[in-house]
Amino acid sequence: MDSRLSARALVELLGLWRTSEPAFDALADAIRLLCLDNRIAPETALPAERELAAALGVSRTTVAAAYRALRSTGHIVSRQGSGSVTRPLGRTTASRWFDRDGIDLQQASPPAWPGLPGVVAEVAAAATALASRSGYDILGHAELRAAIAERYTRQGIRTTPEQIMVTNGAQHAINLLAGTLIRRADRVLIETPTYPHAAETFRRTGARLVSVPVDVADGWDLDRAVQAFGRTRPILAYLMPEFQNPTGRSMTETERAVIGRAAHDAGSVLVIDETTADLGIDAPPRDGLFAGHPSAIRVGSLGKSVWGGLRVGWIRATEDMIRRLRAARTSFDLGTPDLEQAIATRVVERLDEILPQRSALLRSGRDALVSAIERALPGWSVPQVRGGVALWVGLGAPLSSALVIDAGQHGLHLSAGPRFAVDGGQERHLRIPFTAEPLELERAVEILAESWARVTAGTSVAVTQPALAEALV
Ligand SMILES: Cc1ncc(COP(=O)(O)O)c(C=O)c1O
C-alpha cells in the first residue's frame, strides 16, 4: 500500500510556498522541490485536492491545476484508490526533471581522508583477533571510547571512557537521544536555519520545535533565545556552536554565555552537535566549547572529518546519562559494527595529523567557490566563513526554490534555503557546500549564473510568471 501524506503534514512541509504567481505553478514547484529533496518519498499518496485546498486556504481549482502540472512533468500519477501518487526519481523516466546525473551538491560531504584505505587494510589484516569476540557490544569498544575520551580531556573537557557511547554516526546519536529524552508535545529549542535531519528527527518524536534564528552576519538572536528558553522551558536545546550547518557561524563567547545561562535557568538539556566543530579552515577549532556545562550532551562524528561512509560517531554525556542511553539503545539497535570501530580507533588516534589535511581540502574548495561566485554573481552576498562545509549565500531575492529547480534541470542539484528552515522562510538564501573539487564548484557556479539569469528574467520554465517586481525588492 502507498503511504499517505495528510494535508496538514504537506502544509507543514510546504512552509512559505507562495513565492511566485500564478499560485498553482508555485504550488507545483514547491511539491517538485520536496520530491527532489526526498522530503516526499516516492510512492506517497498526496492529499485529496479538496482537503489540501482547505488546508492551504486556496481554491480547489488551484490545487487541481498544480496536480495537473505535476502529472504533466511526470512527478505524480493518478492511481485508482490512492489518488495522486508521487513517482520514483530515476533515469528511466523520460522527463529531464528526473535526470540525476550532473553535479550533486545536496549533501555537504567531503571525500574520504586519503589515508583511510591503508588503515582499513591494516585492520582487515588483524581480522582474526577482531572476530574472536562474541556477544553484543552496546556501548562501543573500550579502546575507541578511551581514545575519544582522551581527546575531550585534551580539549579541556575532562572525560572518562564511561562517559562515551559509540554510535553509528551522529544522526544515529541524535535519533537515540530524541527517542530517549523526548516525549510527545515536549518543546525542543533549535536553531533556524539548521541541519534538517535533526529537525525531522525531533518532529518525528512528536516534539514541538521552538526556533531561534541564526543570522549569517549577526549570529544567534540572543533576545529570542532568552525569551524562548524562559517562555517555553524546552526539555532539550539542539545547537551547533561551532561552524553551524548551514550558516558556518561560530558562537562568540557572549553568545555561549547567554545561551548557556538561559538553558541552565530553564532546566533544558543542551545537546551540542560537534559534527562540524573540527573543520576549522583559517582558525583551529576552539577548545572546550561549553566546558562549564558538565551535563551538556555532546554528539560527535567522523563523518566529515574522515569519511561519511564509515558511519561512526559518539555521544559524550554524564555516566548516568550514558547508562540511560545504553538501556534505551537495544530497542534501536545492538551496537556499532566491530570492524568500523577498529578502524575508527586508529583514526581517532591520528586525528591531529588528519585534521590539517581536511582543513587544506576545505580551504581550496571554499576559496574556489567564493571567487567563482564573486566573479559570476556579484550581486549575491557571500559570507566569510572560517570553517565548516558550506556557504550560506544571500541571493537578495526570495528565489531560492525557483533557482534550485532551474539548476536541477540543468544538471546541478542543490537544496534550497527552505530545506534548512524550521518554520518556513529562508527563500533568500542558498546553501552551497564547498566539499567538492574546485573545478566542479566552478562549473556549478557557471550553471547557477545561467539559472539565476533565467529565474530573475522570468524565462525559467521552473518559474512561469514570477512576481518579480515584488520578489526583487
Ligand atoms: C550538523 C550535522 N550533524 C549530524 C550529521 C550527520 O552525521 P553522520 O554522518 O555522522 O550521521 C551531519 C551530516 O551532514 C551534520 O551536518
Side-chain angles (χ1 to χ4, degrees), residues 37 41 54 62 84 90 150 155 162 175 197 201 215 224 272 283 294 334 352 375 391 405 424 468:
D37 275 350
T62 299
S84 303
E150 197 259 332
Q155 290 170 343
E162 290 70 36
N175 196 19
H197 298 315
T201 301
D215 183 85
R224 284 277 289 277
I272 309 287
L334 298 178
D352 287 347
R375 261 194 323 270
L391 295 181
I405 290 172
L468 275 180

Side-chain angles (χ1 to χ4, degrees), residues 94-113:
S95 166
R96 58 193 168 137
W97 284 102
F98 296 119
D99 179 7
R100 303 299 296 165
D101 280 338
I103 303 176
D104 192 345
L105 297 182
Q106 287 187 316
Q107 296 178 356
S109 176
W113 166 60

Side-chain angles (χ1 to χ4, degrees), residues 120-155:
V120 174
E122 273 171 36
V123 171
T128 313
L130 193 69
S132 64
R133 202 184 59 76
S134 57
Y136 297 106
D137 171 18
I138 316 284
L139 281 177
H141 286 188
E143 313 81 65
L144 176 54
R145 286 159 53 221
I148 296 168
E150 197 259 332
R151 261 191 86 71
Y152 274 119
T153 302
R154 270 198 287 135
Q155 290 170 343

Side-chain angles (χ1 to χ4, degrees), residues 11 61 73 101 125 154 210 226 265-266 300-301 317 334 345 362 385 404 420 443:
V11 169
T61 331
T73 50
D101 280 338
R154 270 198 287 135
V210 180
V226 170
D265 292 349
S301 173
L334 298 178
T345 307
L362 291 167
V385 296
V404 164
F420 304 89
R443 175 68 196 127

Side-chain angles (χ1 to χ4, degrees), residues 107-109 167-174 195 197-198 238 240 243-245 273-276 299-304 307-309 311-313 389 431:
Q107 296 178 356
S109 176
T167 64
N168 307 332
Q171 181 61 35
H172 171 244
I174 294 167
Y195 164 58
H197 298 315
Y238 169 81
M240 286 169 276
F243 310 128
Q244 201 254 5
N245 185 4
D273 186 338
E274 299 177 319
T275 301
T276 52
V299 170
S301 173
L302 297 176
K304 310 261 185 216
W307 187 40
R311 310 304 312 137
V312 173
V389 284
R431 185 186 80 159

Side-chain angles (χ1 to χ4, degrees), residues 106-391:
Q106 287 187 316
Q107 296 178 356
S109 176
W113 166 60
L116 189 64
V119 176
V120 174
E122 273 171 36
V123 171
T128 313
L130 193 69
S132 64
R133 202 184 59 76
S134 57
Y136 297 106
D137 171 18
I138 316 284
L139 281 177
H141 286 188
E143 313 81 65
L144 176 54
R145 286 159 53 221
I148 296 168
E150 197 259 332
R151 261 191 86 71
Y152 274 119
T153 302
R154 270 198 287 135
Q155 290 170 343
I157 301 169
R158 280 172 64 96
T159 304
T160 62
E162 290 70 36
Q163 288 179 268
I164 303 290
M165 170 184 274
V166 178
T167 64
N168 307 332
Q171 181 61 35
H172 171 244
I174 294 167
N175 196 19
L176 179 59
L177 287 166
T180 310
L181 303 180
I182 300 171
R183 299 281 160 270
R184 186 156 290 283
D186 277 347
R187 314 280 170 139
V188 167
L189 186 139
I190 190 164
E191 295 146 342
T192 186
T194 189
Y195 164 58
H197 298 315
E200 283 158 5
T201 301
F202 296 132
R203 271 204 195 94
R204 192 171 35 70
T205 55
R208 291 203 227 149
L209 301 189
V210 180
S211 64
V212 169
V214 181
D215 183 85
V216 68
D218 301 330
W220 278 254
D221 185 332
L222 293 181
D223 289 342
R224 284 277 289 277
V226 170
Q227 239 182 43
F229 275 112
R231 198 169 32 90
T232 68
R233 309 221 153 238
I235 185 105
L236 179 159
Y238 169 81
L239 302 168
M240 286 169 276
E242 193 80 322
F243 310 128
Q244 201 254 5
N245 185 4
T247 62
R249 284 282 308 201
S250 292
M251 279 188 196
T252 60
E253 292 286 343
T254 309
E255 285 166 341
R256 271 184 274 157
V258 171
I259 289 175
R261 171 167 294 279
H264 178 266
D265 292 349
S268 311
V269 177
L270 279 178
V271 174
I272 309 287
D273 186 338
E274 299 177 319
T275 301
T276 52
D278 277 338
L279 306 177
I281 296 178
D282 300 320
R286 277 171 304 168
D287 284 351
L289 285 171
F290 285 99
H293 293 261
S295 63
I297 299 176
R298 295 161 194 283
V299 170
S301 173
L302 297 176
K304 310 261 185 216
S305 53
V306 179
W307 187 40
L310 195 55
R311 310 304 312 137
V312 173
W314 57 86
I315 297 171
R316 187 255 181 223
T318 60
E319 287 185 29
D320 278 351
M321 179 60 75
I322 293 291
R323 274 194 286 273
R324 190 170 161 197
L325 293 168
R326 186 194 187 287
R329 181 169 177 170
T330 47
S331 69
F332 290 80
D333 71 306
L334 298 178
T336 303
D338 278 308
L339 199 64
E340 278 73 359
Q341 290 198 66
I343 295 165
T345 307
R346 292 178 190 227
V347 164
V348 170
E349 286 164 355
R350 287 174 67 180
L351 271 181
D352 287 347
E353 162 204 345
I354 296 170
L355 292 179
Q357 298 176 21
R358 298 312 262 179
S359 174
L361 177 102
L362 291 167
R363 180 180 297 108
S364 67
R366 179 201 59 184
D367 292 352
L369 182 59
V370 168
S371 48
I373 298 175
E374 284 175 351
R375 261 194 323 270
L377 290 151
W380 286 8
S381 358
V382 181
Q384 281 191 334
V385 296
R386 292 160 62 77
V389 284
L391 295 181

